Amino acid sequence: MTDMEKKVMVRLCAKIVADTDLYETDKEVQNLIDWVCLSEQIKENNNTIRNLTGEYKKIEPDCREGVRAQLERMKELCKERNSLYEKQNDLKGQKQQIESVGAIRNVGRGGCYALHFCGKWSVKVI
């Protein structure tokens, strides 16, 4: 039986059931109608699932590429940030070395420092 023949049979049965009280009085008729309705709903759901899966498969590679590109950029940013952290630590180390030699002394509040250059002291407000 073709799909068209099945649809005609279902419509014919629906017309007969609508014009009679068979659905309410005959349990077998009720079960058959419920089975046909559920089967149709299952077919529709399966078709929708197939369509959604197909659409997902079309979109997925582009999304993965976009995510991959973003991850690569994030890696680059992390490397750059880590490099700057290392430079910051090196600079802080150099600063601490200079401070430990006694070339810079804090002489008060407000960012005022005394600098020692070639045997001479000068005051700088920061």
Side-chain angles (χ1 to χ4, degrees), residues 1-13:
M1 192 179 299
T2 66
D3 280 343
M4 180 58 89
E5 290 170 333
K6 289 177 187 175
K7 288 179 182 179
V8 169
M9 292 287 287
V10 167
R11 287 180 66 195
L12 177 61
C13 291

Short mmCIF file of all heavy atoms in Angstrom, two decimals, residues 1-13:
data_model
loop_
_atom_site.label_atom_id
_atom_site.label_comp_id
_atom_site.label_asym_id
_atom_site.label_seq_id
_atom_site.Cartn_x
_atom_site.Cartn_y
_atom_site.Cartn_z
N MET A 1 0.85 -1.16 0.00
CA MET A 1 0.00 0.00 0.00
C MET A 1 0.91 1.24 0.00
O MET A 1 1.85 1.35 0.78
CB MET A 1 -0.88 -0.01 1.26
CG MET A 1 -1.99 0.98 1.21
SD MET A 1 -3.08 0.97 2.66
CE MET A 1 -3.76 -0.64 2.67
N THR A 2 0.60 2.18 -0.88
CA THR A 2 1.39 3.40 -0.97
C THR A 2 1.01 4.35 0.16
O THR A 2 -0.01 4.16 0.85
CB THR A 2 1.13 4.11 -2.31
OG1 THR A 2 -0.23 4.55 -2.34
CG2 THR A 2 1.41 3.19 -3.50
N ASP A 3 1.82 5.38 0.34
CA ASP A 3 1.53 6.37 1.37
C ASP A 3 0.19 7.06 1.09
O ASP A 3 -0.57 7.34 2.02
CB ASP A 3 2.64 7.41 1.46
CG ASP A 3 3.83 6.92 2.25
OD1 ASP A 3 3.68 5.94 3.00
OD2 ASP A 3 4.92 7.53 2.13
N MET A 4 -0.08 7.33 -0.17
CA MET A 4 -1.35 7.99 -0.52
C MET A 4 -2.53 7.10 -0.16
O MET A 4 -3.52 7.58 0.41
CB MET A 4 -1.37 8.32 -2.01
CG MET A 4 -2.65 9.01 -2.45
SD MET A 4 -2.95 10.55 -1.55
CE MET A 4 -2.10 11.68 -2.60
N GLU A 5 -2.42 5.81 -0.45
CA GLU A 5 -3.50 4.87 -0.10
C GLU A 5 -3.69 4.81 1.41
O GLU A 5 -4.83 4.79 1.90
CB GLU A 5 -3.20 3.48 -0.65
CG GLU A 5 -3.29 3.40 -2.18
CD GLU A 5 -2.75 2.09 -2.73
OE1 GLU A 5 -1.89 1.46 -2.08
OE2 GLU A 5 -3.20 1.70 -3.82
N LYS A 6 -2.60 4.82 2.14
CA LYS A 6 -2.70 4.80 3.61
C LYS A 6 -3.41 6.05 4.11
O LYS A 6 -4.27 5.98 4.99
CB LYS A 6 -1.31 4.70 4.23
CG LYS A 6 -0.64 3.37 4.05
CD LYS A 6 0.76 3.40 4.64
CE LYS A 6 1.52 2.14 4.32
NZ LYS A 6 2.90 2.19 4.78
N LYS A 7 -3.07 7.19 3.54
CA LYS A 7 -3.70 8.45 3.98
C LYS A 7 -5.20 8.45 3.68
O LYS A 7 -6.00 8.89 4.50
CB LYS A 7 -3.01 9.64 3.31
CG LYS A 7 -1.63 9.91 3.85
CD LYS A 7 -0.97 11.07 3.14
CE LYS A 7 0.44 11.26 3.69
NZ LYS A 7 1.15 12.34 3.03
N VAL A 8 -5.56 7.91 2.51
CA VAL A 8 -6.98 7.83 2.16
C VAL A 8 -7.72 6.91 3.13
O VAL A 8 -8.82 7.23 3.60
CB VAL A 8 -7.16 7.36 0.70
CG1 VAL A 8 -8.62 7.01 0.40
CG2 VAL A 8 -6.66 8.43 -0.26
N MET A 9 -7.09 5.77 3.46
CA MET A 9 -7.72 4.83 4.39
C MET A 9 -7.90 5.47 5.76
O MET A 9 -8.95 5.32 6.40
CB MET A 9 -6.86 3.56 4.52
CG MET A 9 -6.81 2.71 3.27
SD MET A 9 -8.34 1.82 3.00
CE MET A 9 -8.23 0.61 4.26
N VAL A 10 -6.90 6.19 6.22
CA VAL A 10 -6.99 6.83 7.53
C VAL A 10 -8.09 7.88 7.51
O VAL A 10 -8.90 7.98 8.45
CB VAL A 10 -5.62 7.45 7.93
CG1 VAL A 10 -5.77 8.38 9.12
CG2 VAL A 10 -4.62 6.35 8.23
N ARG A 11 -8.16 8.68 6.44
CA ARG A 11 -9.20 9.70 6.36
C ARG A 11 -10.60 9.08 6.30
O ARG A 11 -11.53 9.57 6.92
CB ARG A 11 -8.97 10.60 5.14
CG ARG A 11 -7.78 11.53 5.34
CD ARG A 11 -7.54 12.42 4.16
NE ARG A 11 -8.64 13.35 4.00
CZ ARG A 11 -8.84 14.05 2.89
NH1 ARG A 11 -8.02 13.93 1.87
NH2 ARG A 11 -9.87 14.88 2.81
N LEU A 12 -10.72 7.97 5.57
CA LEU A 12 -12.00 7.27 5.47
C LEU A 12 -12.41 6.74 6.85
O LEU A 12 -13.55 6.92 7.28
CB LEU A 12 -11.91 6.11 4.47
CG LEU A 12 -13.15 5.24 4.30
CD1 LEU A 12 -14.33 6.07 3.81
CD2 LEU A 12 -12.87 4.09 3.36
N CYS A 13 -11.46 6.12 7.55
CA CYS A 13 -11.75 5.60 8.89
C CYS A 13 -12.10 6.74 9.83
O CYS A 13 -13.01 6.62 10.66
CB CYS A 13 -10.55 4.81 9.43
SG CYS A 13 -10.28 3.26 8.55
#
